[in-house]
Every structure is written in structure tokens, then in C-alpha cells.
Amino acid sequence: MKNYKFLGILIVIFVLLGIPLGLFMTKQYIYFSNIRERYDREITLAEDIILDDELTVFLYGNPVILNKGDKGYIHDEINSVLGDEAGEAYIDARFSLDDGDSITVFISTDIESDNPPSAPVVDIDSIESSQTILNEYKQSRERYYTKVRNTQILGTALVVVIILVISAVVFLICKKPNGNAKTNSAQPK
């Protein structure tokens, strides 16, 4: 009976150790499986914007003017390998210029961030349908985090179930010889 108690305690310890092991293994799986979520959309400026920051002037030789009604394109992606290039507080967008070149800008959201962006920043209110864009952007991020969370829960549960199955098999193997020994000792010689 002591062996069963010891074996039961050992199984409980294995299961408890299986949870952090499952979390670690699923984090590795999430990273290498490159889970991603993209937000793509055409946008239109609601007002004129003058980009006269140091970087823009350095790259283009003078300030860049984006006019009301200019069309741009949002292509913002978050993935488990590279993270979010612009940071979650900024939406990555590109506008074509008159000379055939294009300029990348970050559209600020209402999400707080301590990381300054590496490109010019445009306020989200400068974009037509800004609230719709902001809501769609936040939904894309929520879908990404849901995918990651579900993968982590499923992976951890799978590791715990595998440990339980292995423990049950070990328990049955250890129980069987003891059952045969009692049967054999009870038989007359």
C-alpha cells in the first residue's frame, strides 16, 4: 500500500512539473511556428500633413507634404518571431509621393508606448474613418493574442495529458507484478 501512495505522490509531482514544462514547450512552439496576424487596408487623408521631422528632411532633401484626399495603404503585421515592427502604439502605413517614391509613416493610436518610432508620426484623427480603422486594428491585435493564448492553453493541456497517460501506464505496470505476487503466494504449494 505504501508503494501505491508513493507512486500517487510521484504522479502528482510529475503533473505539477508538467504544467511549467508545457508552458515552456508551447512558448517555443509559438515562436518557431511564426503565428501572425496582418492588418491591411487602404486609407485616405482627412487633412493636409507636413512631414518636416529631421529624418524626412534628411531622406527626401526637404519636408514632404501629404495632401487631403491622398490615398495610402496600411500594412501592419504582428508575429511571434519579430513581434510588431512599429510597436503596438503605431500603425505602419505607406503613402506614394508625386515623384513615384513612397514614404512610410506611423499612425499613432490611443495605446500608450514608451518606444519612439523610427518614422514620421501622423495622428490617427488625420485619417478618414479613423475610429473604424482604430477598432479594426485593435481587433487584429486581439485575434493575434487569442491565437497565442489558445495555442499555449492547448499545448500545456496536451503535455499534461501525455504525462498523465505515461503515469497511468507506469502505475499499471507497477501494480501488475504486485497483484501476481499476491496471487502466487496465496496458492498452496
Side-chain angles (χ1 to χ4, degrees), residues 36-41 73-79 136-137 140-141 143-144 147:
R36 66 181 59 216
E37 185 67 35
R38 287 177 29 175
Y39 177 54
D40 296 311
R41 180 189 170 112
Y73 191 71
I74 291 174
H75 174 76
D76 199 276
E77 180 177 306
I78 184 170
N79 66 60
E136 290 172 353
Y137 173 74
S140 75
R141 291 305 182 257
R143 282 191 305 270
Y144 170 77
K147 286 179 190 176

Side-chain angles (χ1 to χ4, degrees), residues 39-46 70 72-76 88 90-93 95 107-111 122-141 143:
Y39 177 54
D40 296 311
R41 180 189 170 112
E42 185 177 81
I43 56 175
T44 305
L45 287 176
D70 282 353
Y73 191 71
I74 291 174
H75 174 76
D76 199 276
E88 196 165 19
Y90 301 97
I91 302 171
D92 193 0
F95 289 91
I107 301 170
S108 65
T109 65
D110 60 357
I111 301 170
V122 174
D123 187 23
I124 191 139
D125 293 329
S126 302
I127 309 295
E128 289 181 4
S129 305
S130 60
Q131 285 306 310
T132 302
I133 291 169
L134 185 59
N135 289 337
E136 290 172 353
Y137 173 74
K138 287 180 178 181
Q139 287 171 4
S140 75
R141 291 305 182 257
R143 282 191 305 270

Side-chain angles (χ1 to χ4, degrees), residues 100-168:
D101 205 1
S102 63
I103 186 168
T104 298
V105 298
F106 290 142
I107 301 170
S108 65
T109 65
D110 60 357
I111 301 170
E112 295 290 325
S113 174
D114 294 333
N115 299 332
S118 60
V121 176
V122 174
D123 187 23
I124 191 139
D125 293 329
S126 302
I127 309 295
E128 289 181 4
S129 305
S130 60
Q131 285 306 310
T132 302
I133 291 169
L134 185 59
N135 289 337
E136 290 172 353
Y137 173 74
K138 287 180 178 181
Q139 287 171 4
S140 75
R141 291 305 182 257
E142 187 57 38
R143 282 191 305 270
Y144 170 77
Y145 292 122
T146 300
K147 286 179 190 176
V148 169
R149 186 174 46 251
N150 290 345
T151 302
Q152 202 159 30
I153 290 168
L154 184 64
T156 303
L158 186 64
V159 168
V160 170
V161 166
I162 289 171
I163 288 175
L164 280 172
V165 168
I166 292 171
S167 298

Side-chain angles (χ1 to χ4, degrees), residues 42-90:
E42 185 177 81
I43 56 175
T44 305
L45 287 176
E47 60 187 48
D48 293 341
I49 297 175
I50 299 173
L51 304 172
D52 58 357
D53 58 282
E54 277 185 40
L55 180 63
T56 303
V57 173
F58 175 75
L59 292 174
Y60 297 93
N62 50 25
V64 173
I65 299 172
L66 300 174
N67 298 311
K68 179 180 179 177
D70 282 353
K71 303 266 186 221
Y73 191 71
I74 291 174
H75 174 76
D76 199 276
E77 180 177 306
I78 184 170
N79 66 60
S80 59
V81 175
L82 300 174
D84 191 348
E85 180 183 317
E88 196 165 19
Y90 301 97

